[in-house]
Amino acid sequence: MSEATLPAAAWLTVLSGLPKMGPVRLRALLARWPGEEAWERVRAGGLGEDQALAEACRGLSAEVCSGWALAARSTDVLARWEAHQDQGVTVLTAEDPAWPQALLEDPEPPLVLFARGDPSVLERPCAAIIGTRRCTPTGRAVGRELGWELARAGVTVVSGLALGIDGSAHGGALAAAGSPPAAVVGTGLDVAYPREHAALTDEVAAVGAVVSEYPLGTPPAAWRFPARNRILAALAQVVVVVESSAKGGSMHTVDAALDRDRTVLAVPGSVRNPAAAGTNGLLAAGCAPARDAGDVLVALGLGAVGDGARGRQPSLEPHALALTHDQRVVLGALGWDATTLEQVADRLQVPLGPAALHLAELERLGAVVRTGAWYTRLAVGRP
């Protein structure tokens, strides 16, 4: 293969990899010229003098255009294209049959998508599960349980693979071994971000799909993640916010979802929980609650969870943990809100020592998590 025989996607690959090239600027370039011609004009330099292009880009400095020209002149287009092929990355444009249908009529679609795995999973019913990175143990458990139950019900769970709620939802979806999950990331597909989720990213790509609008080698940048969120919102028919502060990053995805007439659900949280301020605010603004996976399935038009009752609470299943009668009594006293040792002892009417011993054993078994002076019960009946 030579540059003369490269497909149109190859030129979009190198254009999208230019420094400070975002979706707005790429769209403006391609509205003026086809990919190969746009690349040649970038290489030639001088685009900063094109006022019409600058306006379409919402600002385009001479410094940015100079950076583009320098990068383009040092880029081997054929080598960049072959690198994507060698790493098993599928490069999609809107003309490809595998292009996600949900993006065809989107007001701000990506011009190119890079995919690891099987992007056809995005044609299944999709629910985005999102939330704060600084989630509570309860929020993490709820995200995992929702991911597990929705995947078992045939729904593709989508997230941004961030720490916190995103990762817990994907962990649950993978454990369910049901419908494969998908993720939308804001970096190149060879750049693990966050690094802690490198293995999780590989697991999602192995059974589902990980997609990005950025080519290999693209590093994380703060501005890329709000842009990423519009794709996440577009791909999902329903967006579920598990926990979020009032001005958290999840709200960017919520705004993008509402702009696209997507259904937004929020998991109710305690008024004492700062991580639930955003979700409770969404409920106050009129969003429907996500009390369990059944609410999400109803919003997707798929009915309710077949093996669960409406509004049920997470429960310890007998086969999940071998608990003594006393340990079950302690769990009952703990409840489902974060609770102190003193509160548990008071509810049980026992001294602090025995209550502390039971809580420590429950923590060791994975039925309880301790954060500072607070204990939170986990739903351990799910993988």
Side-chain angles (χ1 to χ4, degrees), residues 272-289:
R272 295 184 176 89
N273 176 14
T279 48
N280 288 339
L282 290 173
L283 294 170
C287 289

Side-chain angles (χ1 to χ4, degrees), residues 56-78:
C57 289
R58 302 174 192 172
L60 188 62
S61 68
E63 181 183 2
V64 169
C65 292
S66 176
W68 285 355
L70 287 173
R73 290 166 190 162
S74 63
T75 297
D76 184 327
V77 182
L78 178 59

Side-chain angles (χ1 to χ4, degrees), residues 3 6 16 29 42 46 51 53 57 120 147 154 156 159 174 183 215 217 226 250 267 310 319 336 349:
E3 280 198 10
L6 283 172
S16 61
L29 275 174
V42 166
Q51 292 301 313
L53 180 64
C57 289
S120 71
T156 291
S159 85
L174 287 166
S250 299
V267 174
R310 164 61 53 220
H319 65 272
W336 291 101
Q349 293 295 294

Side-chain angles (χ1 to χ4, degrees), residues 303-349:
V305 179
D307 62 351
R310 164 61 53 220
R312 67 172 177 79
Q313 290 292 328
S315 61
L316 289 168
E317 298 177 5
H319 65 272
L321 290 177
L323 299 179
T324 67
H325 171 74
D326 287 347
Q327 288 169 338
R328 292 179 182 276
V329 170
V330 174
L331 277 177
L334 184 62
W336 291 101
D337 290 324
T339 308
T340 65
L341 168 62
E342 290 77 11
Q343 289 172 319
V344 172
D346 183 63
R347 293 169 187 173
L348 294 171
Q349 293 295 294

